[in-house]
């Protein structure tokens, strides 16, 4: 794998203006865009058979395994977070007690809430109380590593320690984390992430890493041909033959989306998450300093500035408003010039 310095990597993006909305969706690096066009042209012309379009899903699975520090056999691929987490939620015991932060994104929360008909209870607590609320009667804790609604990075050490002490099943949504936050987190039972934000991939490609200690307890409710050890051998008839690995939780991939995802993850690995992390947080903190805010450990910055959304819109700067507050997100393609320009526009 050829290393890539950030300055060099930045040549791989061409945002139309200042783009500060990676927490909504990330921008594809050129190799991801190019690989997608090639696959689309092959599709349009019917130039190839289809089997090799499964290959990039395998490359992406291996990249994700490295990014989250688990063996590739523990990684499943799917279309989005809620589909993958839904398998886990549908498999926890009747009457289980689930603890979730009260600002949690619904793709992690609703899959547990819909289990209420079988006695599953979901208790919502403020994110900063999550670790201290993990008590002996809690069976599952489900939370985002980085909250989309606040940008807050969860206290992973405290949550992992409390969960380990009480044998609690941990389910992490790392959609707002993997790609910028070093997240080699084999200590959590399940880590699910959609790749279209910080992994700068198209929508429709997601991963779930699941520890061997939990694999047997989760039913692959969505199993089809892709849940077999070798999907090309599980086209027809019984008996049921599921993969021994987490592949049993796979569903058949949206081929072309995975072509781009594999190429985007390759760029992330070549640049290195530690480097991206340092870059993103430094930009976020420069922006915070310009607004008179204390530094933080997040690539996502929330702030309250009157008419902020209108000012940015008029200047062609893309950001988001969540919960009435301005949300900017800082990623590998952003620069000091983006910080300066955004501060100029906001503080004018
Ligand atoms: C933390 C988090 N998880 C998941 C998603 C997307 O959910 P899904 O993959 O179910 O579309 C988002 C989108 O904003 C998110 O912020």
């Amino acid at each position: 794998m050829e290393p890539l310095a950030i300055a060099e990597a930045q040549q791989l993006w061409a945002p139309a203006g200042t783009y500060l909305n990676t927490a909504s969706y990330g921008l594809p690096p050129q190799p991801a865009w190019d690989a997608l066009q090639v696959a689309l042209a092959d599709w349009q012309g019917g130039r190839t058979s289809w089997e090799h379009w499964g290959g990039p899903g395998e490359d992406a699975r291996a990249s994700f395994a490295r990014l989250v520090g688990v063996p590739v056999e523990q990684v499943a691929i799917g279309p989005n977070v809620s589909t993958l987490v839904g398998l886990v939620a549908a498999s926890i015991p009747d009457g289980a007690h689930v603890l979730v932060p009260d600002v949690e994104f619904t793709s992690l929360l609703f899959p547990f809430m819909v289990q209420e008909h079988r006695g599953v209870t979901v208790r919502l607590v403020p994110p900063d109380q999550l670790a201290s609320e993990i008590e002996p009667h809690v069976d599952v804790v489900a939370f985002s590593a980085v909250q989309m609604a606040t940008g807050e990075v969860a206290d992973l050490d405290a949550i992992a320690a409390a969960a380990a002490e009480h044998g609690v099943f941990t389910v992490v949504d790392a959609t707002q984390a993997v790609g910028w936050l070093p997240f080699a987190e084999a200590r959590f039972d399940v880590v699910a992430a959609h790749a279209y934000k910080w992994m700068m991939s198209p929508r429709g490609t997601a991963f779930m890493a699941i520890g061997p200690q939990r694999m047997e307890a989760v039913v692959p409710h969505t199993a089809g041909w892709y849940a077999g050890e070798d999907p090309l051998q599980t086209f027809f008839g019984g008996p049921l033959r599921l993969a021994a690995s987490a592949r049993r939780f796979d569903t058949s991939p949206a081929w072309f989306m995975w072509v781009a995802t594999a190429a985007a993850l390759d760029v992330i690995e070549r640049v290195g998450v530690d480097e991206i992390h340092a870059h993103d947080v430094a930009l976020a903190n420069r922006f915070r300093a310009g607004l008179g805010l204390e530094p933080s450990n997040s690539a996502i910055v929330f702030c309250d500035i009157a008419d902020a959304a209108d000012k940015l819109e008029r200047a062609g700067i893309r950001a988001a408003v969540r919960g009435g507050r301005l949300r900017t997100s800082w990623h590998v393609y952003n620069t000091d010039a983006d910080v300066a320009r955004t501060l100029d526009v906001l503080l004018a």
Side-chain angles (χ1 to χ4, degrees):
M1 198 177 296
E2 187 90 344
L4 193 57
I6 292 219
E8 208 184 330
Q10 284 182 332
Q11 309 303 314
L12 302 177
W13 284 273
T18 297
Y19 188 79
L20 305 180
N21 204 11
T22 304
S24 290
Y25 70 90
L27 307 185
Q30 196 65 44
W33 180 260
D34 291 344
L36 180 59
Q37 307 317 308
V38 170
L40 290 176
D42 284 346
W43 173 42
Q44 186 180 38
R47 289 195 193 123
T48 70
S49 187
W50 56 270
E51 291 82 352
H52 69 284
W53 283 329
E58 299 314 310
D59 296 340
R61 189 197 311 268
S63 281
F64 186 80
R66 288 189 292 271
L67 289 172
V68 298
V70 303
V72 69
E73 293 75 24
Q74 294 180 20
V75 177
I77 61 171
N80 54 40
V81 165
S82 66
T83 302
L84 291 164
V85 170
L87 300 178
V88 175
S91 301
I92 61 173
D94 290 355
H97 293 284
V98 184
L99 194 64
V100 183
D102 56 11
V103 296
E104 191 52 65
F105 191 71
T106 45
S107 283
L108 183 62
L109 175 60
F110 283 2
F112 290 100
M113 284 188 152
V114 297
Q115 305 302 322
E116 285 177 2
H117 65 277
R118 55 188 188 87
V120 170
T121 56
V122 178
R123 194 154 66 87
L124 298 174
V125 297
D128 59 354
Q129 289 173 25
L130 195 65
S132 60
E133 290 290 338
I134 298 174
E135 294 163 348
H137 67 276
V138 173
D139 300 298
V140 180
V141 60
F143 65 99
S144 278
V146 178
Q147 284 295 341
M148 69 87 81
T150 62
E152 200 176 334
V153 180
D155 187 345
L156 299 174
D157 289 341
I159 297 167
E165 186 184 340
H166 299 295
V168 172
F169 190 162
T170 47
V171 182
V172 186
D173 180 339
T175 301
Q176 296 286 2
V178 179
W180 76 269
L181 186 70
F183 198 79
E185 293 295 352
R187 60 189 167 165
F188 296 111
D189 293 309
V190 166
V191 176
H194 204 141
Y196 75 106
K197 297 176 186 284
W198 301 89
M199 290 185 256
M200 302 175 287
S201 299
R203 229 180 176 287
T205 58
F207 304 93
M208 177 173 72
I210 179 163
Q213 70 282 7
R214 299 291 183 180
M215 194 110 81
E216 292 302 325
V218 177
V219 179
H221 290 284
T222 52
W225 64 286
Y226 231 76
E229 200 68 68
D230 173 2
L232 302 183
Q233 304 299 326
T234 34
F235 286 164
F236 309 111
L240 177 65
R241 40 208 196 280
L242 295 174
S245 68
R247 190 182 283 280
R248 72 176 78 171
F249 304 113
D250 282 11
T251 44
S252 53
W255 290 319
F256 310 121
M257 302 299 105
W258 285 98
V259 168
T261 300
L265 291 182
D266 180 63
V267 170
I268 291 175
E269 288 201 275
R270 288 176 59 200
V271 178
V273 173
D274 287 342
E275 283 71 16
I276 296 175
H277 173 248
H279 172 85
D280 291 8
V281 174
L283 290 181
N285 280 337
R286 251 165 253 158
F287 180 62
R288 295 179 72 92
L291 296 177
L293 300 172
E294 293 293 311
S296 93
N297 59 355
S298 184
I300 301 175
V301 180
F302 274 83
C303 59
D304 303 293
I305 295 175
D307 303 327
D310 287 345
K311 286 180 176 172
L312 294 184
E313 181 77 33
R314 277 198 299 273
I317 299 175
R318 297 239 160 263
V321 175
R322 292 288 177 274
R325 311 186 71 205
L326 178 70
R327 183 184 72 188
T328 59
S329 355
W330 302 85
H331 205 15
V332 56
Y333 31 71
N334 293 120
T335 61
D336 281 337
D338 292 336
V339 176
R341 178 153 185 265
T342 309
L343 287 171
D344 278 352
V345 168
L346 286 177
L347 303 178

